[in-house]
């Protein structure tokens, strides 16, 4: 297939891998969990594994300089992508670490000002868990509810801010229902009350416009692997001016990344991450349109069935996200029924092994039974219209037969 720029992209199934089971794998529709890496990203990374293998912190020789040059260019690319300065980018191992650094780092640096943090019930666990940890240390956390479409109420946010509030953390795009929060409005409220604003943009970077100036964002977590880049690399944007954010380092050692995150930098990952962001930006508009059409195509077929509900706001969501609840069907049975054709997940991949209803769907106010039978379709760059039809066909035959089976076999 060719991408929007006419570049030939090999779908993984076209790559010569002599493994039959590999060829027969289901259609990948789990792009909120991770994405396949783009071939062009891999190409950009390869020289930094071998030829330019130096340590970017080695300032005394050419090996170090070459690696440093790659990192510097990547840092500039990432900064440009979000309208920041390169010194404001701190590389981390991913968004989990970036969230931990932002939340615990602010808590530790500002606790003399106050011990109150505001976040949202539908956040990723990489935000909720550090907040829970801080709670155990004596911090107070307000978990804002969301409206039934998954968007927060700005008036409630403003009411939650107190004189001792040091941080507001609201995600840019939800990883289960794809819902986009109004970042610019949240940023304006936080700035007005002189409270720092952190956003987890793991799902948003490369997919929706992000501008730390226009949106008044003070800290932003990013990751590479949700947007066709490598796993194990991410970044935290930390504002240096108006206001200058103070942060307590969570990993001490060699003093890398302005003493905020020690550890030898990983140039192949960093270069690949920046390449992925560059491609994401260049192709964003055409890809958004294309993925929205694919989602619409899938939804139109699925919604012909009775008792299918769309979770989350119909338009304020990531273009490739479709999250549905299915009435009268057991969640795991539904996933099993789709499994031969579609690799999808129910709720969040990080907790899909658990049988508890997703905390995100619960926060939307659905009864538990509805929250149970939910499917998240994460459509991405390499999916096609034909794949949507195949998946829809499987769902449209599986769901009624599951319902029939469940209605004749009494539930104990
Ligand atoms: C995937 C994800 C994370 C975790 O990112 P890693 O880079 O895998 O650590 C955090 N927040 C959100 C919203 C995510 O989707």
């Amino acid at each position: 297939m060719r991408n929007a720029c006419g570049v030939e992209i090999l779908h993984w199934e076209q790559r010569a891998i002599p493994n039959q089971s590999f060829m027969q794998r289901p259609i990948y529709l789990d792009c909120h969990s991770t994405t396949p890496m783009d071939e062009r990203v891999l190409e950009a990374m390869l020289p930094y594994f071998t030829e330019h293998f130096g340590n970017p912190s080695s300032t005394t020789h050419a090996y170090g300089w070459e690696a440093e040059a790659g990192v510097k260019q990547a840092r500039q690319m990432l900064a440009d992508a979000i309208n920041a300065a390169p010194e404001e980018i701190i590389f981390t191992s991913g968004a989990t670490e970036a969230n931990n650094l932002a939340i615990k780092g602010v808590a530790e640096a500002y606790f003399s000002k106050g011990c109150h943090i505001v976040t949202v019930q539908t956040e990723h666990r990489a935000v909720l868990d550090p907040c829970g940890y801080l709670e155990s240390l004596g911090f107070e956390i307000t978990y804002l509810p969301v409206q039934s479409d998954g968007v927060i109420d700005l008036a409630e946010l403003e009411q939650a801010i107190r004189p001792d509030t040091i941080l507001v953390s609201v995600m840019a795009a939800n990883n289960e229902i794809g819902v986009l929060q109004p970042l610019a409005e949240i940023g304006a409220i936080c700035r007005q009350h002189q409270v720092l604003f952190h956003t987890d943009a793991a799902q948003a970077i490369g997919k929706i416009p992000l501008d730390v100036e226009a949106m008044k964002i003070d800290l932003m977590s990013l990751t590479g692997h949700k947007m066709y880049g490598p796993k194990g690399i991410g970044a935290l944007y930390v504002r240096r001016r108006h206001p200058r954010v103070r942060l307590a380092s969570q990993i001490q050692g060699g003093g890398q990344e302005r003493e905020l995150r020690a550890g030898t930098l990983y140039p192949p990952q960093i270069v690949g991450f920046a390449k992925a962001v560059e491609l994401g930006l260049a192709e964003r508009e055409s890809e958004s349109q294309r993925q929205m059409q694919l989602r619409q195509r899938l939804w139109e077929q699925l919604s012909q069935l009775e008792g299918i509900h769309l979770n989350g706001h119909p338009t304020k969501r990531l273009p490739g996200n479709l999250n549905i609840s299915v009435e009268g069907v057991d969640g795991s049975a539904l996933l099993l029924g789709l499994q031969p054709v579609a690799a999808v997940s129910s709720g969040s991949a990080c907790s899909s092994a658990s049988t508890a209803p997703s905390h995100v769907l619960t926060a939307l106010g659905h009864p538990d039974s509805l929250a149970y039978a939910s499917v998240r379709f994460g459509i991405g760059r390499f999916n096609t219209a034909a794949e949507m039809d195949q998946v829809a066909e499987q769902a449209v035959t599986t769901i009624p037969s599951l319902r029939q089976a469940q209605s004749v076999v009494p539930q104990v």
Side-chain angles (χ1 to χ4, degrees):
M1 81 180 257
R2 285 182 186 278
N3 73 1
C5 304
V7 177
E8 178 81 23
I9 304 172
L10 276 189
H11 196 272
W12 56 50
E13 282 155 24
Q14 296 169 309
R15 291 177 204 159
I17 293 177
N19 179 342
Q20 276 302 309
S21 67
F22 184 81
M23 305 294 283
Q24 289 164 3
R25 293 189 310 179
I27 296 161
Y28 190 77
L29 281 177
D30 203 11
C31 285
H32 302 302
S33 155
T34 195
T35 52
M37 209 169 70
D38 194 298
E39 292 283 338
R40 295 166 293 177
V41 170
L42 178 62
E43 246 169 70
M45 291 168 68
L46 285 175
Y48 290 89
F49 284 108
T50 50
E51 195 184 344
H52 307 309
F53 65 85
N55 183 334
S57 301
S58 300
T59 53
T60 52
H61 49 70
Y63 298 89
W65 302 334
E66 286 165 10
E68 212 277 326
V71 168
K72 188 175 175 197
Q73 201 185 354
R75 201 187 294 278
Q76 183 72 54
M77 174 67 230
L78 281 165
D80 289 346
I82 58 169
N83 194 18
E87 313 81 66
E88 296 175 312
I89 303 292
I90 305 297
F91 287 112
T92 66
S93 64
T96 301
E97 191 193 326
N99 285 342
N100 273 267
L101 175 56
I103 295 166
K104 295 184 207 163
V106 164
E108 215 179 309
Y110 289 86
F111 75 92
S112 57
K113 182 192 168 203
C115 290
H116 180 238
I117 292 172
V118 179
T119 186
V120 184
Q121 288 173 3
T122 52
E123 292 290 313
H124 191 277
R125 283 196 53 192
V127 165
L128 296 176
D129 287 0
C131 285
Y133 169 74
L134 290 174
E135 240 172 343
S136 76
L137 298 183
F139 283 81
E140 222 184 305
I141 317 286
T142 298
Y143 298 94
L144 288 177
V146 292
Q147 302 167 100
S148 60
D149 60 10
V151 182
I152 64 163
D153 180 333
L154 292 169
E156 271 184 73
L157 168 68
E158 192 154 20
Q159 279 160 20
I161 295 174
R162 319 188 308 211
D164 63 341
T165 306
I166 52 172
L167 180 70
V168 167
S169 181
V170 180
M171 72 199 321
N174 188 274
N175 48 296
E176 291 188 36
I177 52 177
V179 165
L180 310 177
Q181 299 293 351
L183 297 184
E185 287 83 348
I186 298 167
I189 291 171
C190 291
R191 190 62 59 83
Q192 193 194 331
H193 292 271
Q194 296 190 350
V195 174
L196 295 178
F197 174 32
H198 166 249
T199 186
D200 174 353
Q203 293 287 346
I205 177 78
K207 298 176 202 157
I208 61 164
L210 292 170
D211 181 326
V212 295
E213 288 308 320
M215 295 169 168
K216 300 185 168 58
I217 295 166
D218 299 312
L219 299 126
M220 177 156 62
S221 302
L222 306 172
T223 191
H225 75 101
K226 308 285 175 71
M227 33 104 50
Y228 318 98
K231 295 173 184 56
I233 186 71
L236 181 66
Y237 157 76
V238 185
R239 177 176 288 281
R240 289 192 84 180
R241 301 174 61 221
H242 314 301
R244 182 186 180 90
V245 175
R246 284 181 290 127
L247 211 55
S249 155
Q250 302 298 303
I251 299 180
Q252 294 87 33
Q256 290 91 347
E257 301 299 90
R258 294 170 42 219
E259 305 273 348
L260 283 175
R261 201 280 191 175
T264 303
L265 291 172
Y266 191 177
Q269 303 301 90
I270 290 170
V271 167
F273 179 23
K275 184 68 185 177
V277 170
E278 183 189 335
L279 294 172
L281 292 194
E283 296 166 12
R284 188 176 62 219
E285 281 181 25
S286 57
E287 252 314 292
S288 291
Q289 285 304 317
R290 200 186 68 85
Q291 287 181 22
M292 269 192 273
Q293 282 163 10
L294 293 184
R295 174 177 76 197
Q296 190 58 23
R297 189 179 181 110
L298 182 56
W299 173 240
E300 271 167 15
Q301 296 177 69
L302 295 177
S303 59
Q304 282 170 7
L305 290 168
E306 298 278 309
I308 305 272
H309 305 271
L310 176 70
N311 294 314
H313 196 283
T315 54
K316 290 178 190 163
R317 66 195 300 143
L318 291 170
N321 176 281
L322 179 66
N323 189 312
I324 59 166
S325 282
V326 184
E327 275 178 33
V329 178
D330 173 69
S332 47
L334 179 55
L335 279 191
L336 267 176
L338 294 176
Q339 221 168 45
V341 173
V344 290
S345 88
S346 146
S348 152
C350 315
S351 62
S352 60
S354 80
T355 49
S358 132
H359 71 282
V360 175
L361 297 180
T362 307
L364 299 182
H366 292 312
D368 280 4
S369 56
L370 253 191
Y372 233 60
S374 76
V375 184
R376 175 183 72 177
F377 298 95
I379 300 162
R381 182 179 288 168
F382 303 111
N383 290 119
T384 63
E387 289 177 335
M388 298 305 112
D389 296 347
Q390 257 176 284
V391 171
E393 195 188 317
Q394 179 75 5
V396 166
T397 52
T398 300
I399 291 169
S401 68
L402 282 175
R403 279 179 178 155
Q404 209 173 15
Q406 283 183 12
S407 66
V408 294
V409 181
Q411 300 273 313
V412 200

